[in-house]
Amino acid sequence: MKQFETVIGLEVHVELATKTKIFCSCSTEFGGKPNSHTCPVCTGMPGSLPVLNKKVVEYAVAVGLATNCKITQNCKFDRKNYFYPDNPQNYQISQLYLPICRDGGIEIETEDGTKKTIGIHEIHMEEDAGKLIHDEWGENSLVDFNRSGVPLIEIVSEPDMRSADEVIAYLEKLRLIIQYLGASDCKLQEGSMRADVNLSVREVGTEEFGTRTEMKNLNSFKAIRRAIEGERERQIDLIEAGEKVIQETRRWDDAKEYSYAMRSKEDAQDYRYFPEPDLVPVVISDEWFSEIKDRQPELRTEKLERYKKEFQIPDYDANIITSNKRLADIFEETTAICKNPKKVSNWLMVETMRLLKEHEMEIEQITFSPENLAKLIQLTDNKAINSSVAKEVFEKIFSDDIDPEAYVEENGLKTVSDDGALRSVIEKVIADNPQSVEDYHSGKKKAIGFLVGQTMKAMKGKADPAMVNQILAELLN
Amino acid sequence: MSLMGLTAVSLGKKIRAGEVSAIEAAQEAFASIEKKEAAVNSFVTVEKERALERAKEVQKGMESGIYAGLLAGVPVAIKDNMCTKGILTTCSSKILGNYLPEFTSEAVLQLEKAGAVILGKTNMDEFAMGSTTETSAFGVTKNPWNTEHVPGGSSGGSCAAVAAEECSYALGSDTGGSIRQPSSFCGVTGMKPTYGTVSRYGLIAYGSSLDQIGPVAKDVTDCAVILETIASHDKKDSTSVKREEYDFTSALKDDVKGMKIGIPKDYFGEGLDSEVREQVMAAAKVLEEKGAIVEEFDLSLVEYAIPAYYVIACAEASSNLARFDGVKYGYRTEEYNGLHNMYKKTRSEGFGTEVKRRIMLGSFVLSSGYYDAYYLKALRTKALIKQAFDKAFSQYDMILAPAAPTTAPRIGESLSDPIKMYLGDIYTISVNLAGLPGISLPCGKDSKGLPIGLQLIGNCFEEKKLIQAAYAFEQTREYEHCPLA
């Protein structure tokens, strides 16, 4: 039986986090009323002209630097010509001849720990298209140009990946880098990160690549994994049946777990690229270039090292916390206030993760402020509240970002540290539970646990357990 | 004499002095339009009511000091490829026959700020593609000197309207000679500024890297004043240039002493009408007598300008005109079956023959496998042509040439032979390829009584030299009103 190898390259589109569009000053905000974020430029009105948003260049350069690319300091835009109603000018302003970044690569690590570098062929800047909405009743289609002109970068990898695992590892890494840069939120579901998979198979040991197909419409990592596996099998089946793989674009239907041919190379479009005459070449001066470099934030690897050194938290903690930029930001901001990195890390890794899972939320959806988490930690450090109360308070912080000091005060949750009051409650507990006292004295030291529990119950949880233990021991002996 | 027989600056002066009002000036313009349009057909759209309202507003504004410039209250006609908010802007094409822009082009805004009163929109070759104003979907414009002849193009409507005295002055656009050649055919003065001087925002693009808006008027003074008004650094146009100064009128001096003027021998060879040659050489003599140093030289590469131009302009046009698809605005075919059929029918019905020819030519030269052989080669040729001009301008202050090889051809003569028509652009086209300024002004007439234009070409940003030399030449002649005026 023949052994086959999968060869995969990715084209990843990332929507940049600029406030305004790439060639006009319309808002990029998601979800406005149709055509409410439009102007003559992004609707292709005759006589309108594009003006480049400099922030797009800065983000593209930042991503290029973070992925070890060479930056084209004198780059240009080109027009890609094709007719489609979501494309108001019937051409897309993109980059073909001189893309802004070239020849880079990032190192990935798959779950089994193997490390590998995935080459990045190029990164180019371009504009997004509008959206077609098909009228379900009539025979009309409507166009919403709110997305038209939203800035994108397309990151084109080399065909260096050999499995779905590698693809996912590459995408995760890319996403993390871009999120760290603040260049995009990279949400696959919302389309701010989209990946097209170019895949071919070849017999193990062959030098030449097989015929590849391009798969579109992959909206989640799971879909990408299934599509890769499905397409690999489809191509192998064809080859083994003596048929040929046709170079074509296919659309993945994740529900049916099958891909459908969209267009083959024979009727592929000729995009008639040529240099965009309405824009001047983008010249990134040495000054501008070094400004962008200087503003480059700390990326994950550097952050990881720093956390271990500066905060002396375990590798395990540092790994998890730096795996998400938002989480790392919360960690640092909270630690800066309460100066207790290990406790902050614990709250994030245990309670926060538990609540996220419970509410089916993403880390990006966290709304609580570092100030309130820091206050909570300080309350526990001062023994003003005990750990079970703290957990209860944290749930309120997590859901409503309440001020824990005020909340504890208002709800009377403060630990009772008045020795006399606690002492009389314990005396009563001892008097009410002679059996447990006897058990304790007869050597069943565990019986003290029951008495602690009874005390806490009587105190409505507001006692410091250490103090309860201490007084109990004193009174029993 | 009618108020429209005055230059824009003289009329502006009378309005400011209170001798006539802006309203009277506009009324006279419309009286002239009503009298002559049937014969000339310079306009696609005449906006009488709106213009008279505007004239009232400007008149009031002048009295209260809002408008104080030289052009305040003076009626102007705008070529129909510049967007005017609320006024039809058709590019003389069926496909934009119903198009009402939602914004006004920057050049027109600059005029409005100066108190201009817009009379209407002038006819042109469809999408500025042509040299005769015969390819308009709204009828042929006729040459006011002889209505059996074309006015030239593509700004034929603007030039005819100025010559026929239907307006005081007009704006045109020049991609390969579209201001200078019709100015020459109509006996008026027209100027194409250095690329980037006047904002292209709102100018419906033909060849984006070549298009430039400029003035059409009765004399050099008007042109300098209009240019000073419309030139600006516009952030909405990335190709707009921030110039060191925007003063052009200070060059209106009758002095050419010591100016070095080069005459490219290559421009005076085969294909040049002998009467045109005679008059243009006579003009050179006049400048020489006034103290200029006139020399002949070899410009070289002249024969490559036309093919390079048609490749670049058509390539850009094929993409620029893609947006006219029946989806968002403009004409859409009545009946269709699905999207592709709608595209096909809309564009087949909406565009005229010359436009389709250029879209096809442009699409061809950009298609894969041909890009290097045509488009890239044309870009290289463009760069070489620029170098040839750079060399010339290292020796000369300006170049003197005819604006066109002949006087205005008869209507119907040109379209049957497009290659011949394209060859008529030989003296104007390289100026656009190199981004240079050029001016065309009357220097005589042929034996048929048709005007001949003298063209002066300057180095980038050296409009002032052109204005000065043209002004000095103009002082030796009287402005000749055309018979129809």
Side-chain angles (χ1 to χ4, degrees):
Chain A
M1 193 155 133
K2 287 176 183 171
Q3 287 281 323
F4 285 94
E5 175 181 53
T6 320
V7 177
I8 306 164
L10 291 187
E11 287 165 31
V12 178
H13 284 90
V14 173
E15 239 174 52
L16 298 177
T18 54
K19 290 198 179 70
T20 56
K21 293 184 179 180
I22 183 167
F23 298 123
C24 62
S25 52
C26 288
S27 165
T28 54
E29 212 178 300
F30 193 79
K33 266 174 63 183
N35 295 308
S36 58
H37 301 158
T38 58
C39 74
V41 176
C42 57
T43 52
M45 289 293 167
S48 65
L49 294 170
V51 177
L52 177 63
N53 179 347
K54 288 222 162 89
K55 195 72 202 163
V56 173
V57 177
E58 295 185 352
Y59 277 146
V61 170
V63 174
L65 288 171
T67 52
N68 311 302
C69 288
K70 287 180 196 133
I71 307 299
T72 318
Q73 280 180 257
N74 206 325
C75 72
K76 279 201 273 195
F77 281 96
D78 301 294
R79 283 193 194 171
K80 180 180 183 178
N81 294 285
Y82 66 95
F83 277 77
Y84 203 64
D86 66 3
N87 176 8
Q89 308 159 115
N90 285 321
Y91 58 79
Q92 179 196 31
I93 304 178
S94 179
Q95 294 192 294
L96 176 73
Y97 296 107
L98 286 173
I100 189 157
C101 312
R102 279 199 281 221
D103 301 333
I106 53 174
E107 193 180 67
I108 59 162
E109 192 179 329
T110 44
E111 273 180 22
D112 62 10
T114 14
K115 282 185 180 170
K116 178 173 179 179
T117 299
I118 306 299
I120 287 174
H121 182 76
E122 68 170 67
I123 300 176
H124 60 254
M125 304 177 277
E126 60 186 27
E127 55 179 340
D128 207 347
K131 197 170 104 187
L132 285 190
I133 297 152
H134 301 286
D135 176 351
E136 287 178 33
W137 304 279
E139 41 193 26
N140 294 319
S141 293
L142 305 164
V143 198
D144 176 5
F145 289 118
N146 282 353
R147 304 314 295 157
S148 168
V150 166
L152 299 175
I153 49 172
E154 181 175 338
I155 305 162
V156 183
S157 84
E158 299 290 353
D160 288 345
M161 286 158 274
R162 296 288 174 269
S163 67
D165 281 345
E166 289 184 5
V167 168
I168 304 295
Y170 169 76
L171 284 171
E172 298 259 27
K173 182 80 183 262
L174 208 53
R175 180 162 76 164
L176 199 59
I177 290 171
I178 295 167
Q179 284 174 341
Y180 259 81
L181 294 169
S184 173
D185 55 14
C186 292
K187 291 182 183 160
L188 265 83
Q189 276 85 352
E190 284 181 22
S192 61
M193 187 181 199
R194 312 192 273 264
D196 298 338
V197 172
N198 284 288
L199 185 148
S200 64
V201 295
R202 63 178 172 193
E203 248 186 272
V204 171
T206 3
E207 285 286 311
E208 256 172 69
F209 289 133
T211 307
R212 72 187 150 89
T213 59
E214 181 180 348
M215 254 182 313
K216 291 183 181 287
N217 194 39
L218 305 166
N219 303 321
S220 67
F221 284 152
K222 277 180 198 155
I224 290 170
R225 183 180 292 282
R226 279 194 287 265
I228 287 171
E229 278 150 14
E231 181 60 14
R232 174 189 149 88
E233 276 169 35
R234 194 189 67 89
Q235 290 190 13
I236 293 173
D237 286 350
L238 281 173
I239 292 167
E240 292 195 321
E243 287 173 56
K244 272 191 177 151
V245 175
I246 301 165
Q247 184 170 344
E248 61 192 357
T249 305
R250 301 179 67 85
R251 185 186 164 84
W252 176 253
D253 186 330
D254 202 44
K256 295 187 180 134
E257 294 198 29
Y258 192 76
S259 64
Y260 298 89
M262 288 168 74
R263 50 175 188 260
S264 73
K265 210 201 168 198
E266 282 74 52
D267 52 37
Q269 310 235 15
D270 179 352
Y271 291 118
R272 291 175 284 117
Y273 278 99
F274 74 106
E276 168 55 87
D278 287 333
L279 291 167
V280 288
V282 184
V283 180
I284 305 165
S285 66
D286 291 341
E287 292 96 297
W288 191 18
F289 192 34
S290 56
E291 266 176 52
I292 302 171
K293 272 187 188 161
D294 292 346
R295 260 183 279 154
Q296 203 72 341
E298 180 188 42
L299 293 176
R300 204 244 177 131
T301 342
E302 299 144 39
K303 206 183 267 289
L304 194 63
E305 286 315 304
R306 183 167 63 85
Y307 276 20
K308 290 184 208 164
K309 259 196 218 142
E310 190 179 327
F311 301 119
Q312 309 200 324
I313 54 172
D315 288 9
Y316 179 78
D317 292 30
N319 245 318
I320 291 183
I321 287 170
T322 56
S323 70
N324 181 289
K325 172 76 172 17
R326 175 107 174 93
L327 201 61
D329 286 346
I330 297 172
F331 170 77
E332 279 191 57
E333 283 166 45
T334 313
T335 305
I337 306 169
C338 72
K339 320 275 183 224
N340 198 335
K342 180 64 188 134
K343 275 210 174 152
V344 178
S345 160
N346 287 347
W347 278 107
L348 293 178
M349 299 210 328
V350 184
E351 280 306 290
T352 307
M353 290 301 174
R354 181 181 67 80
L355 290 169
L356 284 173
K357 203 171 172 192
E358 197 178 298
H359 294 96
E360 293 180 350
M361 282 163 65
E362 299 286 331
I363 289 167
E364 280 68 29
Q365 291 167 292
I366 290 176
T367 51
F368 65 79
S369 59
E371 289 76 17
N372 286 335
L373 175 56
K375 276 185 188 173
L376 180 72
I377 292 170
Q378 280 161 345
L379 286 172
T380 59
D381 282 353
N382 300 340
K383 305 224 160 46
I385 54 173
N386 63 41
S387 65
S388 61
V389 171
K391 275 185 195 166
E392 182 192 327
V393 176
F394 182 70
E395 285 192 21
K396 295 299 285 182
I397 294 177
F398 184 88
S399 60
D400 304 317
D401 196 26
I402 49 105
D403 176 349
E405 283 170 4
Y407 184 82
V408 164
E409 201 62 51
E410 278 160 29
N411 294 282
L413 297 174
K414 241 191 177 142
T415 303
V416 177
S417 48
D418 174 352
D419 195 272
L422 188 57
R423 202 170 276 270
S424 58
V425 170
I426 293 174
E427 279 164 358
K428 188 166 184 293
V429 168
I430 290 173
D432 291 350
N433 295 285
Q435 185 58 48
S436 298
V437 175
E438 203 186 308
D439 288 350
Y440 176 80
H441 287 301
S442 63
K444 290 185 186 161
K445 298 290 176 205
K446 273 187 190 163
I448 198 166
F450 177 76
L451 295 171
V452 171
Q454 289 302 304
T455 311
M456 292 306 279
K457 198 176 164 191
M459 292 297 293
K460 298 203 175 80
K462 290 180 290 177
D464 176 0
M467 216 163 147
V468 173
N469 267 306
Q470 192 201 321
I471 297 172
L472 256 174
E474 198 182 299
L475 293 177
L476 289 171
N477 301 318
Chain B
M1 188 172 48
S2 150
L3 293 175
M4 291 305 108
L6 299 170
T7 65
V9 168
S10 329
L11 177 58
K13 204 169 170 186
K14 275 185 187 292
I15 297 172
R16 279 199 313 287
E19 288 170 45
V20 290
S21 70
I23 303 133
E24 285 166 310
Q27 278 164 343
E28 268 211 34
F30 287 112
S32 174
I33 290 170
E34 276 151 31
K35 205 169 95 194
K36 296 160 193 164
E37 263 307 88
V40 188
N41 190 36
S42 315
F43 285 85
V44 175
T45 303
V46 176
E47 282 279 345
K48 190 172 176 181
E49 262 176 56
R50 179 190 281 262
L52 291 175
E53 267 313 302
R54 165 74 179 159
K56 271 185 214 162
E57 184 194 313
V58 172
Q59 185 64 37
K60 260 195 212 156
M62 287 178 76
E63 281 152 20
S64 62
I66 299 170
Y67 300 116
L70 298 175
L71 297 174
V74 181
V76 60
I78 308 289
K79 188 176 180 179
D80 211 18
N81 59 352
M82 286 169 232
C83 289
T84 40
K85 189 175 178 176
I87 303 176
L88 282 178
T89 299
T90 70
C91 281
S92 288
S93 179
K94 183 177 173 185
I95 211 155
L96 280 180
N98 60 1
Y99 181 62
L100 273 178
E102 51 178 289
F103 66 97
T104 296
S105 54
E106 184 61 22
V108 175
L109 276 182
Q110 296 291 341
L111 281 185
E112 285 183 335
K113 265 205 314 214
V117 175
I118 295 167
L119 300 170
K121 308 295 291 288
T122 56
N123 201 13
M124 54 189 277
D125 281 296
E126 187 181 3
F127 283 103
M129 297 177 184
S131 317
T132 63
T133 316
E134 290 171 292
T135 68
S136 165
F138 305 108
V140 177
T141 295
K142 287 147 198 149
N143 192 317
W145 288 83
N146 181 336
T147 52
E148 293 188 352
H149 289 253
V150 302
S154 66
S155 309
S158 289
C159 295
V162 172
E165 297 173 7
E166 295 176 300
C167 59
S168 289
Y169 69 99
L171 289 190
S173 70
D174 191 316
T175 307
S178 282
I179 288 176
R180 291 160 290 153
Q181 183 255 30
S183 292
S184 149
F185 285 3
C186 292
V188 295
T189 302
M191 192 165 181
K192 181 239 169 237
T194 305
Y195 186 76
T197 300
V198 179
S199 169
R200 292 188 298 114
Y201 195 83
L203 172 69
I204 301 179
Y206 158 26
S208 313
S209 69
L210 307 163
D211 295 341
Q212 191 60 194
I213 292 171
V216 178
K218 288 190 198 72
D219 68 2
V220 178
T221 305
D222 276 7
C223 280
V225 169
I226 299 159
L227 182 59
E228 206 163 287
T229 311
I230 60 177
S232 70
H233 173 59
D234 182 7
K235 289 192 174 135
K236 297 190 297 305
D237 173 2
S238 308
T239 63
S240 166
V241 176
K242 190 169 186 184
R243 295 181 58 134
E244 280 168 27
E245 54 165 17
Y246 288 90
D247 157 55
F248 297 103
T249 46
S250 67
L252 294 163
K253 286 184 284 198
D254 184 7
D255 179 12
V256 289
K257 269 189 210 77
M259 268 193 190
K260 291 191 79 182
I261 300 176
I263 298 182
K265 273 184 270 174
D266 341 39
Y267 279 11
F268 288 81
E270 208 189 326
L272 177 62
D273 179 272
S274 62
E275 288 181 293
V276 174
R277 176 189 295 135
E278 218 171 275
Q279 297 290 339
V280 171
M281 290 312 279
K285 193 88 193 140
V286 167
L287 286 167
E288 196 170 22
E289 279 160 11
K290 291 186 77 126
I293 302 150
V294 179
E295 275 175 25
E296 288 193 344
F297 77 105
D298 291 313
L299 181 61
S300 82
L301 296 172
V302 173
E303 66 270 37
Y304 298 107
I306 289 177
Y309 168 84
Y310 278 95
V311 168
I312 293 169
C314 294
E316 291 178 4
S318 71
S319 172
N320 285 332
L321 270 59
R323 69 187 68 200
F324 308 113
D325 58 3
V327 172
K328 305 164 290 286
Y329 42 73
Y331 175 77
R332 182 189 289 182
T333 187
E334 299 276 325
E335 277 179 43
Y336 50 89
N337 183 10
L339 179 66
H340 284 271
N341 186 246
M342 191 279 280
Y343 280 156
K344 263 189 205 165
K345 285 187 73 184
T346 297
R347 289 169 64 83
S348 299
E349 293 159 16
F351 289 132
T353 310
E354 184 60 27
V355 171
K356 284 181 203 161
R357 181 182 292 133
R358 294 193 193 191
I359 290 175
M360 284 192 277
L361 178 62
S363 304
F364 173 73
V365 299
L366 290 177
S367 35
S368 85
Y370 296 99
Y371 179 83
D372 290 3
Y374 292 104
Y375 190 76
L376 212 56
K377 201 174 273 177
L379 282 189
R380 291 199 186 111
T381 309
K382 183 185 177 198
L384 290 174
I385 287 170
K386 175 77 168 76
Q387 280 174 21
F389 275 108
D390 286 345
K391 198 176 144 209
F393 289 121
S394 68
Q395 293 176 54
Y396 303 107
D397 291 304
M398 71 193 70
I399 290 168
L400 181 148
T406 63
T407 54
R410 298 180 78 86
I411 290 167
E413 235 172 37
S414 309
L415 293 189
S416 55
D417 188 352
I419 299 288
K420 192 179 160 200
M421 183 172 81
Y422 297 169
L423 290 173
D425 300 335
I426 181 123
Y427 306 130
T428 47
I429 254 169
S430 343
V431 172
N432 299 77
L433 288 173
L436 309 170
I439 188 166
S440 169
L441 66 161
C443 69
K445 287 191 294 184
D446 69 0
S447 47
K448 288 174 277 184
L450 291 168
I452 295 168
L454 164 71
Q455 184 183 200
L456 297 173
I457 300 164
N459 201 355
C460 283
F461 310 113
E462 293 192 348
E463 282 86 352
K464 282 174 91 169
K465 283 185 184 172
L466 298 185
I467 288 168
Q468 188 167 336
Y471 180 78
F473 176 74
E474 198 181 59
Q475 300 315 303
T476 66
R477 302 171 41 87
E478 277 286 306
Y479 178 73
E480 207 179 326
H481 299 269
C482 78
L484 214 128

